[in-house]
Protein backbone atom coordinates (compact mmCIF):
# COMPACT_ATOMS: atom_id res chain seq x y z
CA UNK A 1 0.00 0.00 0.00
CA UNK A 2 1.52 3.33 -1.01
CA UNK A 3 1.08 6.66 0.72
CA UNK A 4 -0.07 8.27 -2.53
CA UNK A 5 -1.46 11.77 -2.14
CA UNK A 6 -2.52 11.83 1.46
CA UNK A 7 -5.36 14.36 1.60
CA UNK A 8 -6.91 15.41 4.89
CA UNK A 9 -10.33 17.01 4.40
CA UNK A 10 -12.07 19.49 6.66
CA UNK A 11 -11.89 18.68 10.35
CA UNK A 12 -15.39 17.23 10.56
CA UNK A 13 -14.72 14.94 7.61
CA UNK A 14 -11.38 14.00 9.10
CA UNK A 15 -12.89 12.99 12.44
CA UNK A 16 -15.57 10.90 10.77
CA UNK A 17 -12.98 9.19 8.62
CA UNK A 18 -10.33 8.67 11.29
CA UNK A 19 -10.84 4.92 11.75
CA UNK A 20 -10.54 4.31 8.01
CA UNK A 21 -7.57 6.65 7.56
CA UNK A 22 -5.58 5.33 10.50
CA UNK A 23 -6.07 1.76 9.40
CA UNK A 24 -5.27 2.63 5.81
CA UNK A 25 -2.05 4.36 6.69
CA UNK A 26 -0.16 1.63 8.51
CA UNK A 27 2.89 3.04 6.75
CA UNK A 28 2.38 6.44 8.35
CA UNK A 29 -0.33 8.08 10.47
CA UNK A 30 -2.40 11.01 9.23
CA UNK A 31 -1.16 14.41 10.33
CA UNK A 32 -2.44 16.09 13.46
CA UNK A 33 -2.16 13.23 15.95
CA UNK A 34 1.09 14.24 17.67
CA UNK A 35 -0.79 15.69 20.64
CA UNK A 36 -0.69 19.39 19.73
CA UNK A 37 -3.48 21.32 21.54
CA UNK A 38 -6.32 22.14 19.20
CA UNK A 39 -5.50 19.38 16.72
CA UNK A 40 -6.77 15.80 16.66
CA UNK A 41 -5.21 14.48 19.83
CA UNK A 42 -3.20 11.29 19.54
CA UNK A 43 -3.42 7.91 17.84
CA UNK A 44 -6.08 6.90 20.37
CA UNK A 45 -8.60 8.26 17.86
CA UNK A 46 -8.64 4.81 16.30
CA UNK A 47 -6.12 2.63 18.16
CA UNK A 48 -7.20 1.23 21.49
CA UNK A 49 -4.87 2.15 24.33
CA UNK A 50 -4.75 -0.39 27.11
CA UNK A 51 -2.64 -0.32 30.23
CA UNK A 52 0.73 -0.73 28.57
CA UNK A 53 3.93 -0.51 30.59
CA UNK A 54 5.94 1.17 27.84
CA UNK A 55 6.91 4.72 26.95
CA UNK A 56 7.99 7.15 24.29
CA UNK A 57 10.92 9.48 24.75
CA UNK A 58 12.98 11.85 22.64
CA UNK A 59 16.75 12.14 23.11
CA UNK A 60 18.07 15.67 22.58
CA UNK A 61 21.88 15.94 22.17
CA UNK A 62 22.10 19.34 23.88
CA UNK A 63 19.53 18.76 26.58
CA UNK A 64 16.34 20.78 26.50
CA UNK A 65 17.95 23.69 24.66
CA UNK A 66 18.40 24.81 21.09
CA UNK A 67 20.59 27.28 19.22
CA UNK A 68 18.86 29.19 16.40
CA UNK A 69 19.48 27.51 13.07
CA UNK A 70 21.79 24.82 14.51
CA UNK A 71 20.68 21.33 13.49
CA UNK A 72 20.19 18.66 16.17
CA UNK A 73 20.07 14.89 15.68
CA UNK A 74 17.03 13.59 17.55
CA UNK A 75 16.14 10.01 18.43
CA UNK A 76 12.61 8.87 19.28
CA UNK A 77 12.53 5.64 21.28
CA UNK A 78 9.28 3.70 21.57
CA UNK A 79 9.40 0.89 24.12
CA UNK A 80 6.90 -1.70 25.30
CA UNK A 81 7.89 -5.21 26.45
CA UNK A 82 4.64 -6.73 25.17
CA UNK A 83 4.54 -5.25 21.66
CA UNK A 84 6.14 -5.93 18.29
CA UNK A 85 5.30 -3.17 15.77
CA UNK A 86 6.12 0.52 16.05
CA UNK A 87 5.09 3.97 14.90
CA UNK A 88 5.24 7.63 15.92
CA UNK A 89 4.47 11.21 14.92
CA UNK A 90 6.34 14.29 16.13
CA UNK A 91 6.20 18.01 15.51
CA UNK A 92 7.66 21.21 17.00
CA UNK A 93 5.70 24.39 17.72
CA UNK A 94 6.34 27.75 19.30
CA UNK A 95 5.30 27.62 22.94
CA UNK A 96 3.33 30.85 22.75
CA UNK A 97 1.43 29.71 19.65
CA UNK A 98 0.83 25.99 18.99
CA UNK A 99 -0.29 26.82 15.44
CA UNK A 100 3.17 28.25 14.61
CA UNK A 101 5.67 25.72 13.23
CA UNK A 102 9.13 25.75 14.86
CA UNK A 103 11.83 24.58 12.48
CA UNK A 104 11.98 21.75 9.97
CA UNK A 105 12.84 18.03 9.85
CA UNK A 106 15.11 15.90 7.70
CA UNK A 107 14.31 12.16 7.67
CA UNK A 108 17.03 9.68 8.55
CA UNK A 109 18.86 7.82 5.79
CA UNK A 110 17.54 4.42 6.97
CA UNK A 111 14.12 4.91 5.38
CA UNK A 112 12.28 4.61 8.70
CA UNK A 113 11.03 8.22 8.81
CA UNK A 114 9.32 10.70 6.50
CA UNK A 115 7.99 14.26 6.64
CA UNK A 116 4.44 15.41 5.90
CA UNK A 117 3.19 19.00 5.55
CA UNK A 118 -0.32 20.37 6.01
CA UNK A 119 -2.06 23.72 5.80
CA UNK A 120 -3.38 25.28 8.99
CA UNK A 121 -6.97 24.40 8.11
CA UNK A 122 -6.02 20.73 7.73
CA UNK A 123 -7.62 20.55 4.28
CA UNK A 124 -4.64 19.29 2.28
CA UNK A 125 -1.33 17.62 2.96
CA UNK A 126 1.75 16.58 1.03
CA UNK A 127 5.17 15.08 1.53
CA UNK A 128 7.87 17.49 2.75
CA UNK A 129 9.75 19.73 2.42
CA UNK A 130 7.02 22.19 3.33
CA UNK A 131 5.91 25.19 1.33
CA UNK A 132 4.35 28.43 2.57
CA UNK A 133 0.79 27.22 1.90
CA UNK A 134 1.44 24.10 4.01
CA UNK A 135 3.57 25.40 6.88
CA UNK A 136 2.85 22.77 9.54
CA UNK A 137 5.36 19.91 9.40
CA UNK A 138 5.34 16.48 11.02
CA UNK A 139 7.88 13.69 10.99
CA UNK A 140 6.58 10.15 11.35
CA UNK A 141 7.29 6.50 10.62
CA UNK A 142 7.24 4.85 7.20
CA UNK A 143 6.03 1.34 6.40
CA UNK A 144 9.59 0.02 6.75
CA UNK A 145 9.92 1.91 10.00
CA UNK A 146 7.17 -0.11 11.70
CA UNK A 147 9.49 -3.16 11.72
CA UNK A 148 6.88 -5.91 12.27
CA UNK A 149 8.03 -8.61 14.65
CA UNK A 150 10.72 -6.50 16.33
CA UNK A 151 10.10 -6.94 20.01
CA UNK A 152 10.67 -4.63 22.98
CA UNK A 153 11.45 -1.27 21.37
CA UNK A 154 12.37 0.68 18.25
CA UNK A 155 14.33 3.85 17.56
CA UNK A 156 13.59 6.52 14.95
CA UNK A 157 16.46 8.91 14.16
CA UNK A 158 16.26 12.15 12.19
CA UNK A 159 17.47 15.77 12.19
CA UNK A 160 15.65 18.86 13.37
CA UNK A 161 16.74 22.38 12.44
CA UNK A 162 15.27 25.03 14.76
CA UNK A 163 14.15 28.41 13.37
CA UNK A 164 16.99 30.58 12.07
CA UNK A 165 16.13 33.24 14.65
CA UNK A 166 15.52 32.58 18.32
CA UNK A 167 11.80 31.90 18.75
CA UNK A 168 11.56 31.79 22.53
CA UNK A 169 10.53 28.47 24.06
CA UNK A 170 9.66 25.63 21.67
CA UNK A 171 7.47 22.64 22.50
CA UNK A 172 8.15 19.27 20.85
CA UNK A 173 5.07 17.03 20.80
CA UNK A 174 5.33 13.29 20.14
CA UNK A 175 2.88 10.39 20.09
CA UNK A 176 3.89 6.75 19.62
CA UNK A 177 2.06 3.54 18.83
CA UNK A 178 3.43 0.32 20.31
CA UNK A 179 1.30 -2.14 18.37
CA UNK A 180 0.74 -5.87 18.80
CA UNK A 181 1.22 -6.40 15.08
CA UNK A 182 -2.03 -8.21 14.33
CA UNK A 183 -3.09 -5.69 11.67
CA UNK A 184 -6.10 -4.48 13.65
CA UNK A 185 -6.59 -1.36 15.72
CA UNK A 186 -7.21 -3.15 19.00
CA UNK A 187 -4.62 -4.22 21.51
CA UNK A 188 -2.23 -1.39 20.69
CA UNK A 189 -0.65 0.88 23.30
CA UNK A 190 -0.46 4.63 22.67
CA UNK A 191 2.07 6.83 24.49
CA UNK A 192 2.37 10.61 24.27
CA UNK A 193 4.56 13.27 25.81
CA UNK A 194 5.99 16.72 25.13
CA UNK A 195 9.20 18.61 25.81
CA UNK A 196 9.81 22.35 26.21
CA UNK A 197 13.13 23.57 24.82
CA UNK A 198 14.58 26.96 25.70
CA UNK A 199 17.08 29.02 23.68
CA UNK A 200 20.59 27.95 24.62
CA UNK A 201 21.60 31.62 24.78
CA UNK A 202 19.43 31.98 27.88
CA UNK A 203 20.23 28.61 29.43
CA UNK A 204 23.75 27.48 28.50
CA UNK A 205 25.48 30.81 28.05
CA UNK A 206 29.11 30.24 29.08
CA UNK A 207 30.40 32.64 31.71
CA UNK A 208 34.07 33.17 32.54
CA UNK A 209 34.65 34.02 36.19
CA UNK A 210 35.22 37.74 36.70
CA UNK A 211 37.96 37.08 39.25
CA UNK A 212 40.78 34.66 38.33
CA UNK A 213 38.79 33.53 35.30
CA UNK A 214 41.76 33.57 32.90
CA UNK A 215 45.08 32.57 34.45
CA UNK A 216 48.45 31.02 33.72
CA UNK A 217 47.91 27.27 33.30
CA UNK A 218 50.78 26.39 35.66
CA UNK A 219 50.61 29.00 38.42
CA UNK A 220 46.87 29.79 38.23
CA UNK A 221 47.79 33.45 38.62
CA UNK A 222 47.02 36.43 36.40
CA UNK A 223 49.12 37.13 33.33
CA UNK A 224 49.34 35.05 30.17
CA UNK A 225 51.53 35.12 27.09
CA UNK A 226 51.34 33.96 23.49
CA UNK A 227 51.99 30.24 23.15
CA UNK A 228 51.61 29.59 26.88
CA UNK A 229 49.15 27.30 28.61
CA UNK A 230 46.12 29.13 29.91
CA UNK A 231 43.39 27.95 32.27
CA UNK A 232 39.90 29.43 31.97
CA UNK A 233 37.48 28.99 34.87
CA UNK A 234 33.77 29.71 35.03
CA UNK A 235 30.37 28.13 34.57
CA UNK A 236 28.63 26.39 31.64
CA UNK A 237 31.87 26.47 29.68
CA UNK A 238 31.15 23.04 28.14
CA UNK A 239 28.52 20.32 28.16
CA UNK A 240 31.02 17.50 28.66
CA UNK A 241 34.42 16.82 30.23
CA UNK A 242 37.38 15.38 28.36
CA UNK A 243 40.92 15.90 27.03
CA UNK A 244 41.75 16.00 23.34
CA UNK A 245 42.21 12.67 21.62
CA UNK A 246 45.36 11.71 19.72
CA UNK A 247 43.25 11.45 16.58
CA UNK A 248 42.34 15.13 16.94
CA UNK A 249 45.99 16.17 16.54
CA UNK A 250 46.44 16.00 12.78
CA UNK A 251 49.93 16.34 11.26
CA UNK A 252 51.15 17.90 14.50
CA UNK A 253 48.41 20.55 14.52
CA UNK A 254 46.31 20.96 17.65
CA UNK A 255 42.50 21.23 17.65
CA UNK A 256 40.78 24.58 18.07
CA UNK A 257 37.54 23.06 19.38
CA UNK A 258 36.36 20.05 21.33
CA UNK A 259 32.71 18.98 21.34
CA UNK A 260 31.60 22.37 20.06
CA UNK A 261 33.67 24.33 22.60
CA UNK A 262 36.15 26.94 21.37
CA UNK A 263 38.06 29.90 22.81
CA UNK A 264 39.13 33.21 21.30
CA UNK A 265 42.00 35.22 22.79
CA UNK A 266 42.33 38.68 21.29
CA UNK A 267 40.09 37.51 18.42
CA UNK A 268 42.35 34.57 17.55
CA UNK A 269 41.45 30.88 18.05
CA UNK A 270 43.20 29.17 20.95
CA UNK A 271 44.09 25.46 20.95
CA UNK A 272 41.80 23.45 23.21
CA UNK A 273 43.36 20.64 25.26
CA UNK A 274 40.73 20.06 27.97
CA UNK A 275 37.09 21.01 28.50
CA UNK A 276 34.63 20.73 31.37
CA UNK A 277 31.65 22.78 32.56
CA UNK A 278 33.88 24.74 34.96
CA UNK A 279 37.37 24.69 33.41
CA UNK A 280 39.03 24.82 29.99
CA UNK A 281 42.77 24.47 29.30
CA UNK A 282 44.09 26.02 26.09
CA UNK A 283 47.33 27.02 24.47
CA UNK A 284 47.18 30.73 23.72
CA UNK A 285 47.54 31.58 20.01
CA UNK A 286 50.60 33.31 18.57
CA UNK A 287 50.22 37.07 18.92
CA UNK A 288 52.49 40.14 18.90
CA UNK A 289 50.00 42.23 20.88
CA UNK A 290 50.71 43.18 24.49
CA UNK A 291 48.37 44.52 27.14
CA UNK A 292 44.69 43.88 27.88
CA UNK A 293 42.92 41.50 25.47
CA UNK A 294 39.47 39.93 25.35
CA UNK A 295 38.92 36.24 26.05
CA UNK A 296 35.65 34.58 24.99
CA UNK A 297 34.28 31.04 25.20
CA UNK A 298 31.77 29.60 22.73
CA UNK A 299 29.80 26.54 23.80
CA UNK A 300 27.86 24.88 20.97
CA UNK A 301 27.01 28.07 19.14
CA UNK A 302 26.48 30.23 22.24
CA UNK A 303 29.21 32.80 22.96
CA UNK A 304 29.68 34.24 26.41
CA UNK A 305 30.61 37.79 27.34
CA UNK A 306 34.31 38.69 26.95
CA UNK A 307 36.61 38.88 29.95
CA UNK A 308 39.82 40.89 29.89
CA UNK A 309 43.21 39.24 30.46
CA UNK A 310 46.69 40.74 30.42
CA UNK A 311 48.84 39.50 27.53
CA UNK A 312 52.53 39.77 28.43
CA UNK A 313 55.80 39.13 26.61
CA UNK A 314 56.40 36.32 29.10
CA UNK A 315 54.48 34.74 31.97
CA UNK A 316 56.92 32.22 33.45
CA UNK A 317 55.64 29.61 35.86
CA UNK A 318 56.45 26.03 36.81
CA UNK A 319 53.84 23.31 36.90
CA UNK A 320 53.28 22.04 40.43
CA UNK A 321 52.96 18.81 42.36
CA UNK A 322 50.65 19.00 45.36
CA UNK A 323 50.29 22.79 44.78
CA UNK A 324 53.76 23.29 46.28
CA UNK A 325 56.63 21.50 44.56
CA UNK A 326 57.89 22.39 41.10
CA UNK A 327 57.47 19.51 38.66
CA UNK A 328 61.07 18.38 38.23
CA UNK A 329 62.90 15.38 36.80
CA UNK A 330 66.43 14.20 36.26
CA UNK A 331 67.85 13.58 32.78
CA UNK A 332 66.45 10.02 32.91
CA UNK A 333 62.99 11.47 33.70
CA UNK A 334 62.94 10.06 37.23
CA UNK A 335 60.95 12.34 39.52
CA UNK A 336 62.54 14.87 41.87
CA UNK A 337 60.63 15.51 45.09
CA UNK A 338 60.47 14.69 48.79
CA UNK A 339 60.14 10.98 49.57
CA UNK A 340 56.61 9.55 49.47
CA UNK A 341 55.17 12.59 47.73
CA UNK A 342 52.83 10.20 45.87
CA UNK A 343 51.62 6.84 47.17
CA UNK A 344 52.36 4.84 44.02
CA UNK A 345 55.38 6.63 42.56
CA UNK A 346 59.01 7.10 43.57
CA UNK A 347 60.23 10.64 44.24
CA UNK A 348 63.80 11.37 45.30
CA UNK A 349 65.08 14.75 46.61
CA UNK A 350 67.62 16.71 44.61
CA UNK A 351 71.20 16.88 45.82
CA UNK A 352 73.56 19.83 45.65
CA UNK A 353 75.33 19.64 42.29
CA UNK A 354 72.53 17.61 40.63
CA UNK A 355 71.31 18.63 37.20
CA UNK A 356 67.53 18.69 37.16
CA UNK A 357 64.89 19.73 34.66
CA UNK A 358 62.12 22.09 35.72
CA UNK A 359 58.93 21.99 33.66
CA UNK A 360 56.87 25.11 33.03
CA UNK A 361 55.13 27.40 30.58
CA UNK A 362 55.15 31.04 29.53
CA UNK A 363 58.90 31.55 28.98
CA UNK A 364 58.37 33.50 25.79
CA UNK A 365 59.72 33.43 22.25
CA UNK A 366 62.17 30.83 21.00
CA UNK A 367 64.79 30.55 18.27
CA UNK A 368 63.93 28.90 15.94
CA UNK A 369 60.43 30.28 16.40
CA UNK A 370 57.57 27.82 16.93
CA UNK A 371 54.02 28.94 16.24
CA UNK A 372 51.35 28.07 18.76
CA UNK A 373 49.11 25.16 17.89
CA UNK A 374 51.93 23.00 16.50
CA UNK A 375 53.92 20.22 18.17
CA UNK A 376 57.48 21.67 18.19
CA UNK A 377 59.08 18.58 16.64
CA UNK A 378 56.71 18.98 13.69
CA UNK A 379 57.56 22.64 13.22
CA UNK A 380 61.36 22.33 13.50
CA UNK A 381 62.34 18.68 12.90
CA UNK A 382 65.65 17.78 14.46
CA UNK A 383 65.97 21.10 16.30
CA UNK A 384 64.85 22.57 19.60
CA UNK A 385 63.41 26.00 20.24
CA UNK A 386 65.80 27.81 22.55
CA UNK A 387 64.31 30.57 24.69
CA UNK A 388 65.37 33.89 23.12
CA UNK A 389 65.86 35.59 26.49
CA UNK A 390 67.34 32.86 28.72
CA UNK A 391 65.81 32.87 32.22
CA UNK A 392 67.65 33.17 35.49
CA UNK A 393 66.75 30.79 38.33
CA UNK A 394 67.15 31.21 42.08
CA UNK A 395 67.03 28.10 44.29
CA UNK A 396 66.99 28.82 48.01
CA UNK A 397 67.89 32.43 47.14
CA UNK A 398 71.08 31.32 45.34
CA UNK A 399 71.57 31.69 41.60
CA UNK A 400 71.51 28.31 39.89
CA UNK A 401 73.39 27.66 36.67
CA UNK A 402 70.97 27.43 33.75
CA UNK A 403 72.23 24.81 31.33
CA UNK A 404 69.44 25.13 28.77
CA UNK A 405 65.96 26.60 28.36
CA UNK A 406 64.03 25.06 25.47
CA UNK A 407 60.58 24.06 24.31
CA UNK A 408 59.92 20.39 24.95
CA UNK A 409 60.17 18.83 21.45
CA UNK A 410 57.04 16.69 21.83
CA UNK A 411 54.82 19.04 23.81
CA UNK A 412 53.36 22.35 22.64
CA UNK A 413 53.78 25.25 25.06
CA UNK A 414 55.81 23.17 27.55
CA UNK A 415 59.32 24.39 28.46
CA UNK A 416 62.26 22.44 29.91
CA UNK A 417 64.62 24.48 32.07
CA UNK A 418 67.74 22.46 32.94
CA UNK A 419 69.63 23.80 35.99
CA UNK A 420 72.35 22.73 38.39
CA UNK A 421 71.40 22.69 42.08
CA UNK A 422 73.81 25.16 43.78
CA UNK A 423 76.52 23.42 45.81
CA UNK A 424 75.94 25.63 48.83
CA UNK A 425 72.13 25.51 48.88
CA UNK A 426 70.39 24.60 52.12
CA UNK A 427 68.62 21.30 52.74
CA UNK A 428 64.89 20.63 52.88
CA UNK A 429 62.30 22.63 50.96
CA UNK A 430 64.06 25.42 49.03
CA UNK A 431 62.22 28.14 47.13
CA UNK A 432 62.43 28.24 43.33
CA UNK A 433 61.94 31.51 41.48
CA UNK A 434 62.60 32.20 37.81
CA UNK A 435 62.94 35.50 35.97
CA UNK A 436 62.28 35.60 32.23
CA UNK A 437 62.12 38.68 30.00
CA UNK A 438 61.70 40.85 33.09
CA UNK A 439 58.84 38.79 34.55
CA UNK A 440 59.09 36.66 37.70
CA UNK A 441 57.40 33.37 38.49
CA UNK A 442 55.12 33.26 41.56
CA UNK A 443 56.53 32.69 45.01
CA UNK A 444 55.59 29.72 47.18
CA UNK A 445 57.15 27.12 44.86
CA UNK A 446 59.77 24.70 46.22
CA UNK A 447 62.28 21.99 45.35
CA UNK A 448 63.23 19.46 48.03
CA UNK A 449 67.00 19.11 48.61
CA UNK A 450 68.83 16.44 50.63
CA UNK A 451 72.35 15.09 50.93
Amino acid sequence: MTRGNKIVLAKVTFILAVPVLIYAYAEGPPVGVAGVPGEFGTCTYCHSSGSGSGSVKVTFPNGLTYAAGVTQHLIVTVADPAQQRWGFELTARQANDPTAQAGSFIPGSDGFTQTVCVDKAFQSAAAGPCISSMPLEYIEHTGNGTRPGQQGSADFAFDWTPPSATAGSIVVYVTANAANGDGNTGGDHIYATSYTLKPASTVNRPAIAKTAGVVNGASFQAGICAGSWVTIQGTKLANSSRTWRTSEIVNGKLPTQLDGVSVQINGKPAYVEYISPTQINVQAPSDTALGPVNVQVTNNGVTGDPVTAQLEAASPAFFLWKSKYAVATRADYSWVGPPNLFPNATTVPAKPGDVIILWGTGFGATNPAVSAGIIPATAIPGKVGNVVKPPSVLIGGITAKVISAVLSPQNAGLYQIAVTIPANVGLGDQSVVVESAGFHSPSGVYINVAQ
Side-chain angles (χ1 to χ4, degrees), residues 57-291:
K57 71 174 183 179
V58 182
T59 301
F60 299 91
N62 297 322
L64 297 181
T65 67
Y66 73 94
V70 178
T71 299
Q72 296 190 29
H73 187 66
L74 308 188
I75 300 174
V76 173
T77 299
V78 188
D80 192 310
Q83 305 297 73
Q84 56 181 347
R85 197 171 188 185
W86 315 94
F88 84 103
E89 185 172 270
L90 178 147
T91 190
R93 304 294 173 83
Q94 294 183 20
N96 61 359
D97 183 2
T99 68
Q101 181 66 29
S104 59
F105 302 101
I106 300 174
S109 59
D110 54 16
F112 293 164
T113 55
Q114 60 192 333
T115 55
V116 183
C117 308
V118 67
D119 68 295
K120 289 191 175 184
F122 287 85
Q123 293 183 334
S124 58
C130 295
I131 57 178
S132 59
S133 61
M134 297 184 186
L136 300 182
E137 184 173 357
Y138 302 81
I139 189 157
E140 57 187 42
H141 66 267
T142 62
N144 288 337
T146 64
R147 285 160 281 183
Q150 178 171 311
Q151 297 183 337
S153 67
D155 288 341
F156 298 90
F158 51 90
D159 289 339
W160 170 59
T161 302
S164 57
T166 298
S169 295
I170 290 174
V171 181
V172 173
Y173 299 92
V174 61
T175 293
N177 183 1
N180 59 13
D182 66 0
N184 297 311
T185 59
D188 300 335
H189 297 160
I190 307 303
Y191 304 102
T193 191
S194 64
Y195 300 85
T196 300
L197 279 63
K198 295 183 178 180
S201 58
T202 64
V203 178
N204 281 340
R205 188 176 180 85
I208 301 173
K210 300 299 183 182
T211 302
V214 181
V215 294
N216 182 293
S219 68
F220 292 95
Q221 296 194 15
I224 63 175
C225 76
S228 67
W229 284 104
V230 176
T231 291
I232 298 168
Q233 300 176 96
T235 57
K236 300 180 181 178
L237 302 179
N239 300 334
S240 58
S241 299
R242 72 174 180 93
T243 303
W244 63 30
R245 304 184 184 99
T246 302
S247 61
E248 292 169 316
I249 302 174
V250 180
N251 297 324
K253 296 181 179 180
L254 309 180
T256 56
Q257 69 88 23
L258 296 181
D259 295 350
V261 176
S262 60
V263 175
Q264 296 263 326
I265 298 179
N266 197 29
K268 303 175 185 294
Y271 302 92
V272 186
E273 183 264 348
Y274 171 78
I275 60 172
S276 77
T278 58
Q279 180 174 322
I280 302 175
N281 295 339
V282 301
Q283 186 191 23
S286 298
D287 201 333
T288 58
L290 297 176

Side-chain angles (χ1 to χ4, degrees), residues 269-353:
Y271 302 92
V272 186
E273 183 264 348
Y274 171 78
I275 60 172
S276 77
T278 58
Q279 180 174 322
I280 302 175
N281 295 339
V282 301
Q283 186 191 23
S286 298
D287 201 333
T288 58
L290 297 176
V293 297
N294 283 338
V295 180
Q296 284 184 287
V297 172
T298 297
N299 180 3
N300 284 279
V302 181
T303 301
D305 293 332
V307 168
T308 300
Q310 194 72 16
L311 194 62
E312 310 281 12
S315 178
F318 295 118
F319 289 99
L320 301 179
W321 281 330
K322 295 291 185 73
S323 301
K324 178 178 180 180
Y325 295 100
V327 174
T329 64
R330 293 179 172 79
D332 62 0
Y333 297 103
S334 60
W335 294 2
V336 175
N340 304 314
L341 183 61
F342 302 105
N344 298 312
T346 301
T347 49
V348 178
K351 294 181 179 181

Side-chain angles (χ1 to χ4, degrees), residues 372-421:
I374 301 175
I375 302 296
T378 306
I380 47 175
K383 298 182 179 181
V384 295
N386 293 281
V387 176
V388 171
K389 296 181 178 180
S392 60
V393 177
L394 295 176
I395 297 179
I398 301 172
T399 299
K401 180 181 179 181
V402 176
I403 299 171
S404 65
V406 301
L407 269 175
S408 176
Q410 298 298 326
N411 298 280
L414 180 65
Y415 291 78
Q416 304 175 202
I417 313 299
V419 300
T420 301
I421 301 294

